[in-house]
Amino acid sequence: MEGWDKGTKSTVGEIPLMTARAGPRDGEAWRQRLKEEYRALIAYTSVNKAKDNDWFRIAAANPEGTRWEGTCWYVHNLRRYEFPLQFDIPVAYPQVAPEIELPTLDGKTHKMYRGGKICLTVHFKPLWAKNCPRFGIAHALCLGLAPWLAAEVPILVDSGMVKHKDDEAAPAEASASAAPSS
Amino acid sequence: MEEEQLSALLGDLDALKQCPDPASIDRMRERVVALINSAAGAASRSKIKDMSAEVVDSNPYSRLMALQRMGVVENYERIRDYSVAIIGIGGVGSVAAEMLTRCGIGRLLLYDYDTVELANMNRLFFRPEQVGMTKTDAAVQTLSGINPDVVLESYSLNITTVKGFETFLASLTARSSHERSTGVDLVLSCVDNYEARMVVNQACNELGQTWMESVMQDHVMFHTIGLESSVHTIGLKRTHSVSEDAVSGHIQLLVPGETACFACAPPLVVASGVDERTLKREGVCAASLPTTMGVVAGLLVQNALKYLLNFGQVSPYLGYNSLKDYFPTMEMRPNPQCSNPACVQRQKEYMDSKPARAAAAKAKMEAEASVANECPVHLDNEWNISVVDDEDTATSSIRSTADVLPEGLVHELPAADFYPEPPATASSSAIDDDLEELQRQLDALNSS
């Protein structure tokens, strides 16, 4: 974890580690792992709230806990930019990390794989491999998604690729009122 | 043939110009129909029931069957009994599929979730007019035209998801028989990412299916992210593509239980020998050359044919560094502490079957010896040199053999740090809370 800032390091230290090496096809062992994932997410969310650094919402989108959906946001120049967030738990989990997707940014930055999967290759994948099976979803958000947002959102906003929703809504409304109703 | 028809048609037209004759119009119509039919006949051929070794220009298999006549392959026609699954129909997979199709493979199962794009046109196989089609459907379109004898199955799905994986497993086992546990004889992994490779590894370990993997290494394009003062400020160097290096690749044979699986040791890449800093570019996408992909696909299918048709030596690992034209080879034993339970299970089965294999090998050697009627190579043994069975001593040193790499090979990812895994009883009682209760807690946090 050299090269990471003190704040992130201390936050990661507060996220409980996983012990169950189990993926979505492992039945009862996966349920156990899922409990650990929840425990870690609850702890991480609480830490973020306590530090006034709340930045995501995430919940399982199916009863098996193999699909997760939510939102994440990033504050740049005092404005909040929010993005839908989703990912599947891969079959080979936890050997491989989840591929976090920000579908609304697909095609807007090169630092993504197809379908809005953010690039985790260099800054996160080796760390995940080294800490398998102790890292879970909360770690992927903290060490994978958070730094990606910190690096990419300012560039996307400054280059005009991403517009704040207030700026986007205004011209859209203007054109909607100008256009004949159909 | 066509020229004759056309010149006759011209003659008819000239005659028609001289005097209007309804009979010449009918003749012209017949000639045009004949021309259309001959054009259609040239574009595709009908299915061929048996592979013929007859040396005529119209036999698509004559040059392949010649391998048999020359004694390279004992029974080439057996290729029609074999089924091969190709995962990833990209730069390597599509070319491998075409090679196997032209070789007359019995059945090909093609898996990919992507569509054809113009950006793929620097590679071989796909054509610009196929842009927008799924890669599997576009491949079936081209391959069925090249060789209608091959049974082609197209699966456009993502194998890394739970649902996609189930379909993947079901399709592999669909035509299983008592002779083989799955319906395919070989799986070729031609995917471009670690996640998908791990999935193929999982499936093949569970099914005990022999597979080969190929890696085409793309040049890494580095970006250095500018730092912003924010709560998440972290210095990062990041890249777009998989860890790879445009000019190299490798192929590897994986026999569950017998050779190292993909999870036994961190994945390997061929080091480029080029200073990483010289590769840094502003830009994004992974570079790729049709040449390197063609070489890797060729190495892969060559190894697959040797494995299926039982000729030559099947390479357990063959690397390719195109900058130095360096081809490292090595063998990798499985890791007894592999994190993949299915791999450990296959290893156990392989060890258990050792006496049977030894007996079979001995019988085979005796049969060969009786045929050749061999005498000892050296009659005197001045130095008392004897052959020692290395199988038994190998088990204790398996870990170390996995760590020793030939020059030029490096691991793509670090190995997991060692943590003692807690005993199962302790872990199951680690969290007593109900799953639903935990969900409620997270929901409460989410809504506050």
Side-chain angles (χ1 to χ4, degrees), chain A residues 27-62:
Chain A
E28 188 46 43
W30 169 244
R31 273 180 71 82
Q32 186 59 34
R33 170 88 189 192
L34 210 49
K35 287 182 190 176
E36 296 178 359
E37 296 282 2
Y38 271 108
R39 187 180 59 175
L41 280 168
I42 289 164
Y44 183 38
T45 312
S46 308
V47 167
N48 284 341
K49 285 182 186 247
K51 291 186 178 171
D52 198 21
N53 180 30
D54 202 16
W55 67 275
F56 69 87
R57 291 282 174 272
I58 189 88
N62 60 3

Side-chain angles (χ1 to χ4, degrees), chain B residues 318-334:
Chain B
L318 177 58
Y320 171 48
N321 174 341
S322 75
L323 293 184
K324 293 181 173 175
D325 277 343
Y326 169 58
F327 294 82
T329 57
M330 67 184 294
E331 255 177 90
M332 276 179 289
R333 295 267 173 91

Side-chain angles (χ1 to χ4, degrees), chain A residues 25 57 110-111 113-114 122, chain B residues 117 238-240 284 446:
Chain A
R25 295 172 65 251
R57 291 282 174 272
H110 298 299
K111 290 154 187 192
Y113 294 104
R114 204 173 306 282
V122 164
Chain B
E117 290 174 355
R238 54 181 301 277
T239 121
H240 173 72
V284 261
N446 278 344

Side-chain angles (χ1 to χ4, degrees), chain A residues 54 73-81 153-154, chain B residues 229-231:
Chain A
D54 202 16
W73 56 89
Y74 185 79
V75 177
H76 176 58
N77 291 341
L78 303 175
R79 300 182 94 175
R80 176 169 144 151
Y81 298 86
V153 173
Chain B
S229 52
S230 76
V231 284

Side-chain angles (χ1 to χ4, degrees), chain B residues 8 83 151 177 198 271 400 411 439 444:
Chain B
S83 296
V151 178
S177 62
M198 285 301 291
S400 59
H411 287 296
Q439 272 168 343

Side-chain angles (χ1 to χ4, degrees), chain B residues 125-284:
Chain B
F125 192 72
F126 290 118
R127 297 189 304 271
E129 64 267 26
Q130 291 176 321
V131 166
M133 290 177 79
T134 65
K135 284 186 174 171
T136 53
D137 285 348
V140 167
Q141 183 188 58
T142 304
L143 298 175
S144 59
I146 291 171
N147 188 343
D149 298 335
V150 180
V151 178
L152 296 159
E153 293 179 21
S154 154
Y155 297 95
S156 191
L157 51 86
N158 181 357
I159 59 164
T160 66
T161 63
V162 176
K163 198 163 166 278
F165 186 73
E166 278 162 12
T167 315
F168 176 47
L169 277 189
S171 64
L172 286 181
T173 51
R175 294 200 195 174
S176 53
S177 62
H178 61 278
E179 286 160 38
R180 52 182 190 195
S181 57
T182 68
V184 297
D185 298 280
L186 188 63
V187 170
L188 300 180
S189 161
C190 304
V191 299
D192 63 357
N193 64 87
Y194 173 71
E195 288 74 21
R197 272 187 196 107
M198 285 301 291
V199 170
V200 177
N201 185 64
Q202 178 68 32
C204 292
N205 276 342
E206 284 183 20
L207 300 172
Q209 172 65 53
T210 297
W211 62 293
M212 286 181 195
E213 101 119 339
S214 63
V215 173
M216 156 69 202
Q217 297 172 340
D218 289 325
H219 260 300
V220 182
M221 298 290 180
F222 287 94
H223 305 265
T224 310
I225 301 179
L227 298 183
E228 291 288 315
S229 52
S230 76
V231 284
H232 297 313
T233 298
I234 294 157
L236 288 176
K237 188 178 74 172
R238 54 181 301 277
T239 121
H240 173 72
S241 169
V242 206
S243 64
E244 305 179 354
D245 172 346
V247 277
S248 301
H250 74 242
I251 59 157
Q252 187 179 342
L253 168 73
L254 297 102
V255 187
E258 193 178 332
T259 67
C261 92
F262 201 69
C264 279
L268 287 168
V269 291
V270 183
S272 64
V274 172
D275 186 345
E276 196 180 76
R277 279 165 300 175
T278 64
L279 298 175
K280 284 183 196 171
R281 304 266 192 290
E282 265 311 305
V284 261

Side-chain angles (χ1 to χ4, degrees), chain B residues 7 30 36 118 162 200 216 245 249 289 294 306 315 319 384 426 432:
Chain B
S7 54
E30 272 168 32
I36 290 169
L118 272 180
V162 176
V200 177
M216 156 69 202
D245 172 346
L289 283 168
K306 288 195 282 188
S315 283
N384 287 322
D432 294 326

